[in-house]
Amino acid sequence: MLIVYFISFMLSLCLALHLTPFVRGAALKYDIVDKPDGVLKFQKKPVAYLGGLSVYVAFLLTVSLYFDFEKDVLGMLLSGTIIILLGIIDDLKTIDPKLKLFGQTIAVFVLIRSGIYIQLFFLPYWLCIILTFFWLMGTTNAFNLIDVMDGLSSGIGAICCLILFVISLLNGRPMIAVL
């Protein structure tokens, strides 16, 4: 089974590496870029947005080839898609923070409804749900804040994914590990 994980990872990586230049070119062509402003953004040239879109599309294509979808997996994919769409819309035109929080709340609700929430046996169910809500909203917005620094959110995301991969395998959840 490890070979399937490795092949799916390599296929997704190759697809993302192949798609990214096309998406970057389209973003530059249609001026979907982050322009330097001298206050917060000090890069020399505009940086193309939408890079995450190519990675997410590569991920979805690969996952759809190799795996069956259970309720929790579908919940993760739908929730992730909501967050990606919010990011794309925010890249195209800045979204009002209240609308962004509303969209994030829907994404968290989808996860919770699909059975993904913090489960601590010593806490009542309702408190686990509240804890999950604040944890997911906090981490989502923390990543959004560090996304202004090129490479930082990607590096931290890769480290988090590696840790979650190992934890999922140790808990007998190979599909979640691959996701």
Side-chain angles (χ1 to χ4, degrees):
M1 197 62 165
L2 280 176
I3 192 72
V4 173
Y5 304 148
F6 180 74
I7 290 170
S8 64
F9 173 78
M10 292 306 294
L11 179 59
S12 185
L13 177 65
C14 290
L15 280 170
L17 290 173
H18 185 73
L19 290 173
T20 299
F22 292 108
V23 172
R24 181 180 182 275
L28 291 172
K29 179 178 179 180
Y30 295 106
D31 200 35
I32 306 171
V33 295
D34 187 18
K35 297 176 179 138
D37 63 9
V39 178
L40 180 62
K41 304 165 187 174
F42 295 101
Q43 70 266 24
K44 295 193 186 329
K45 297 188 296 186
V47 175
Y49 281 131
L50 306 179
L53 180 61
S54 59
V55 173
Y56 195 64
V57 168
F59 163 77
L60 285 178
L61 289 173
T62 303
V63 168
S64 68
L65 289 175
Y66 281 97
F67 300 102
D68 296 325
F69 298 120
E70 300 167 9
K71 180 181 176 183
D72 55 351
V73 172
L74 287 173
M76 288 174 60
L77 294 175
L78 179 56
S79 181
T81 301
I82 292 168
I83 295 297
I84 286 286
L85 289 174
L86 280 173
I88 290 170
I89 293 167
D90 194 35
D91 286 348
L92 296 173
K93 182 177 175 127
T94 304
I95 299 177
D96 178 65
K98 290 178 186 174
L99 182 59
K100 190 183 284 190
L101 284 174
F102 179 71
Q104 292 170 353
T105 300
I106 292 171
V108 169
F109 178 74
V110 167
L111 280 177
I112 292 170
R113 288 286 296 146
S114 67
I116 299 172
Y117 58 91
I118 296 170
Q119 298 176 22
L120 300 172
F121 69 92
F122 54 88
L123 292 178
Y125 171 78
W126 63 269
L127 191 54
C128 290
I129 298 301
I130 291 171
L131 187 61
T132 300
F133 175 80
F134 284 108
W135 175 260
L136 290 172
M137 292 296 282
T139 55
T140 300
N141 285 291
F143 262 92
N144 194 29
L145 287 174
I146 65 171
D147 192 37
V148 297
M149 293 175 256
D150 288 339
L152 182 61
S153 61
S154 300
I156 290 174
I159 292 167
C160 292
C161 284
L162 180 62
I163 291 167
L164 291 172
F165 176 79
V166 171
I167 290 170
S168 296
L169 284 181
L170 291 174
N171 284 299
R173 301 295 310 266
M175 180 62 183
I176 301 300
V178 171
L179 293 178

